[in-house]
Amino acid sequence: MARATALAVITVVLLGLAVAVALAGVISITRISTSVAYTGLPIRVEPGRIAGSPDLNGTIDVQIGPNLSVSITVHPTYQLTAYPGLVNVTNIGNTTHNYSIIVVHPYTGPPGAAAYLAEFNASNGTLVIRANLSQAGVYGPYPIEPGETVELSLVTYYPEGEPLQEVNATFSIAVGKSQEVPPESLGG
Amino acid sequence: MGKPRLVVATIILTVFLITSYASTFVYVPATLRANTTAPVVRLWEPLHEQVKAYLGDNLTSIISEVNLTSTPQLLDNNEFNGSLDSWTCGGNESLRCIWLPSDTGAIGGAVQITGSVVTRAPGLYSKSVEQIFMVPENISGPLVGIRYAFPEAPRVEVNSSDIIIVALFNWTGSYWNTLDAVGTRIYQTSSYNTIYLSLNATLKPGEIYLLLVGYGNLVGSGGYTRGNVDFRVDSVSLSYASTILSFGGEVLRINTTIPAYMTILVTGYTDNQSGLYGRLYFFNGTTIVLVAIIENGTITYTTSYFLRVDPTGDQYNASARLWLEANTTRVTGDFTIFGVIEYTNGAYYVFYPFEIRVHP
């Protein structure tokens, strides 16, 4: 019952996150100021609004590395855990870009566990990309307009009865000028 | 290779290279580390004799089966098993009220009111256990059953008597309004005995009530009494006979070890000709929120109102609970509510699934 029901509501959860985050104002959030603007394409990548906040255990950690990398550490529990607003990507240029998520292996986790990335338009809360982190592939693209911010969120599912262990995933955020889908082989 | 073929090959290679470099992507490699952790919020089975619950392995999901009956029990945990939980045990300067995990002759746990009384003036020493509850239909003259022992009674010097007090309150607005209060004389006895008291009150669904059970010592004019008191209650029931099938009580309990904002989201339901009418409530110990309304087998209202839920500081007492009032005139058919319990600190959001199956 638990898993079937949980997966049935995952879409509801994803769509409901934009509304649910209205409660975010009730807590004090420590914002990490690190952000990186990339040469080549005018985008800015920075920790989202929940980065540094208390997690179910420890804190929600988002690190933007100096060499074009993002590292996210969260502490979800059984059933569904959602983290809306982990990373922001903003188009700081004058033209539209294409934004995609490329999921690559390795993904590790117990049988039945799942993790989804959900990309929202930060201004209107529209879900623009949903990427299954356990299935390699290219998700998107989504045209990101000048000045627009895309907010990366995470939903995990961890089945009851399984011993607690880490779930790890690797993916890339790909932003390009062309209308082409980025090649998956370059994503890792 | 001839010259023409070399030219063609060069052109093809050039076109390929141009195509390849026409795409300009920025790749931001990312890693996710989900270091799973034990739940800080756990679901507990409800303590109601009409409910059987099936909890998930890690207490993060639950199926509650609710049996409707024509003689419903309106009180949760009415035998004080495992803890006081939904009951409040009150004391004063003379008497204290404590929970006993077991007692000779008692079924499960018991409540003990103990201490000493000394008075000359007309007075009433009363301390009590009390419980908040709701009802599934209009009820007149509910019956209270109390199984008690009274192993130590104060000396009756002049014109005084020991009594059991039962009072029923209606919470209207911000104050409790007494609907009915009765007392009956008791005598020292070391064994448990059961008495029944009929209350002269009318109860309505959708309203909140409080039942109080306590010990009292009445001293008449010129009277005098003093001595030690040991009054024990093994169980309290509040029931009535109905022409329809109903249920009123908790269908799941929630315990949290951290302050959290919680809501109950009804995500769906199935109806098999149940003809069910009912209401689902979320209660955090101080505030009650109407979560859903069921009308003739259809959910006609839901909400997603958040309540703050705090730890109780007692590992045996729930932080919050879900109440159901339900009734039907049909003896067959069933109704199932699907939903999730959502809690958050404003940064993370956690969702536990639940099912409530209601049937005769």
Side-chain angles (χ1 to χ4, degrees):
Chain A
M1 179 281 290
R3 182 166 190 265
T5 306
L7 293 179
V9 300
I10 196 165
T11 301
V12 175
V13 170
L14 289 172
L15 294 175
L17 282 179
V19 176
V21 295
L23 267 181
V26 302
I27 64 163
S28 173
I29 292 178
T30 303
R31 191 181 181 107
I32 298 172
S33 60
T34 304
S35 66
V36 177
Y38 297 98
T39 57
L41 276 181
I43 61 167
R44 184 175 66 238
V45 179
E46 59 189 343
R49 54 195 157 79
I50 67 168
S53 299
D55 202 349
L56 288 159
N57 186 8
T59 59
I60 298 167
D61 186 45
V62 179
Q63 299 293 330
I64 308 295
N67 298 315
L68 311 183
S69 64
V70 174
S71 174
I72 301 168
T73 303
V74 292
H75 307 81
T77 190
Y78 291 102
Q79 308 295 353
L80 289 172
T81 307
Y83 296 93
L86 286 167
V87 177
N88 287 347
V89 178
T90 303
N91 180 352
I92 56 176
N94 298 319
T95 58
T96 301
H97 302 326
N98 269 345
Y99 175 94
S100 301
I101 291 292
I102 305 172
V103 174
V104 296
H105 285 130
Y107 165 86
T108 59
Y116 289 83
L117 286 179
E119 308 291 327
F120 293 95
N121 177 315
S123 61
N124 60 24
T126 303
L127 178 64
V128 296
I129 296 175
R130 183 177 65 179
N132 183 345
L133 288 175
S134 66
Q135 292 185 0
V138 178
Y139 297 85
Y142 169 72
I144 180 171
E145 303 294 334
E148 182 179 343
T149 297
V150 176
E151 187 175 69
L152 184 148
S153 302
L154 173 72
V155 178
T156 65
Y157 171 73
Y158 203 85
E160 272 195 313
E162 287 290 335
L164 293 171
Q165 59 179 282
E166 279 192 12
V167 175
N168 295 293
T170 308
F171 60 95
S172 290
I173 300 168
V175 181
K177 284 180 177 176
S178 79
Q179 298 301 312
E180 295 177 82
V181 175
E184 183 179 336
S185 60
L186 296 179
Chain B
M1 181 183 294
K3 192 172 181 181
R5 297 180 67 183
L6 180 61
V7 170
V8 171
T10 304
I11 292 172
I12 291 173
L13 183 60
T14 303
V15 170
F16 175 76
L17 290 173
I18 289 171
T19 304
S20 298
Y21 286 100
S23 302
T24 306
F25 288 98
V26 169
Y27 292 96
V28 182
T31 57
L32 167 68
R33 180 182 174 215
N35 190 4
T36 53
T37 190
V40 296
V41 173
R42 291 178 172 85
L43 306 182
W44 288 353
E45 64 179 353
L47 298 174
H48 195 288
E49 62 188 31
Q50 288 175 242
V51 185
K52 182 170 179 56
Y54 304 90
L55 282 163
D57 292 339
N58 302 100
L59 308 183
T60 58
S61 68
I62 190 170
I63 298 172
S64 294
E65 288 193 348
V66 178
N67 291 302
L68 304 177
T69 170
S70 59
T71 55
Q73 168 61 253
L74 295 175
L75 302 179
D76 299 314
N77 191 22
N78 72 313
E79 293 181 342
F80 309 115
N81 280 334
S83 70
L84 275 176
D85 199 44
S86 52
W87 295 82
T88 299
C89 204
N92 62 13
E93 67 279 4
S94 300
L95 301 173
R96 60 196 178 103
C97 178
I98 55 176
W99 173 71
L100 305 175
S102 63
D103 191 25
T104 302
I107 303 167
V111 169
Q112 181 184 35
I113 294 172
T114 183
S116 61
V117 294
V118 178
T119 184
R120 288 179 179 277
L124 182 66
Y125 292 90
S126 170
K127 262 326 172 180
S128 56
V129 285
E130 56 193 28
Q131 187 186 58
I132 296 173
F133 64 101
M134 306 173 96
V135 300
E137 58 179 304
N138 287 310
I139 298 168
S140 294
L143 194 65
V144 177
I146 302 164
R147 189 166 190 266
Y148 75 98
F150 192 27
E152 190 167 13
R155 287 203 303 272
V156 177
E157 300 287 357
V158 180
N159 195 18
S160 71
S161 59
D162 300 299
I163 62 171
I164 287 180
I165 302 159
V166 176
L168 185 64
F169 298 86
N170 182 355
W171 187 25
T172 305
S174 59
Y175 63 94
W176 294 99
N177 177 37
T178 306
L179 291 180
D180 194 26
V182 295
T184 187
R185 186 165 189 176
I186 55 174
Y187 297 93
Q188 185 170 345
T189 171
S190 57
S191 61
Y192 278 97
N193 304 279
T194 303
I195 61 167
Y196 290 94
L197 300 170
S198 179
L199 295 176
N200 182 25
T202 299
L203 312 181
K204 298 176 182 176
E207 297 192 0
I208 306 161
Y209 298 94
L210 181 143
L211 180 77
L212 177 149
V213 176
Y215 160 80
N217 184 273
L218 286 178
V219 181
S221 178
Y224 177 69
T225 188
R226 66 177 176 183
N228 295 329
V229 173
D230 185 352
F231 172 73
R232 302 182 185 194
V233 179
D234 179 32
S235 65
V236 180
S237 66
L238 181 62
S239 58
Y240 63 102
S242 175
T243 56
I244 60 177
L245 303 173
S246 62
F247 170 82
E250 62 190 22
V251 289
L252 65 84
R253 296 185 298 155
I254 301 169
N255 182 262
T256 182
T257 56
I258 59 166
Y261 291 90
M262 289 191 196
T263 188
I264 308 296
L265 301 174
V266 174
T267 57
Y269 66 96
T270 60
D271 177 62
N272 179 25
Q273 298 183 329
S274 69
L276 194 75
Y277 289 82
R279 291 175 181 230
L280 199 60
Y281 294 92
F282 184 39
F283 180 47
N284 68 352
T286 56
T287 304
I288 296 173
V289 172
L290 176 61
V291 171
I293 297 176
I294 307 161
E295 295 182 297
N296 195 22
T298 301
I299 291 183
T300 58
Y301 168 85
T302 60
T303 186
S304 57
Y305 190 86
F306 278 84
L307 280 182
R308 182 184 166 109
V309 178
D310 290 306
T312 61
D314 184 329
Q315 61 176 324
Y316 299 111
N317 292 339
S319 309
R321 60 198 77 234
L322 199 58
W323 268 325
L324 176 69
E325 304 167 1
N327 68 75
T328 182
T329 57
R330 301 182 188 173
V331 294
T332 60
D334 53 69
F335 189 89
T336 301
I337 301 169
F338 302 94
V340 292
I341 298 151
E342 176 184 352
Y343 64 91
T344 179
N345 70 343
Y348 60 75
Y349 295 77
V350 183
F351 303 81
Y352 295 164
F354 70 84
E355 284 184 30
I356 303 168
R357 302 172 180 170
V358 185
H359 53 76

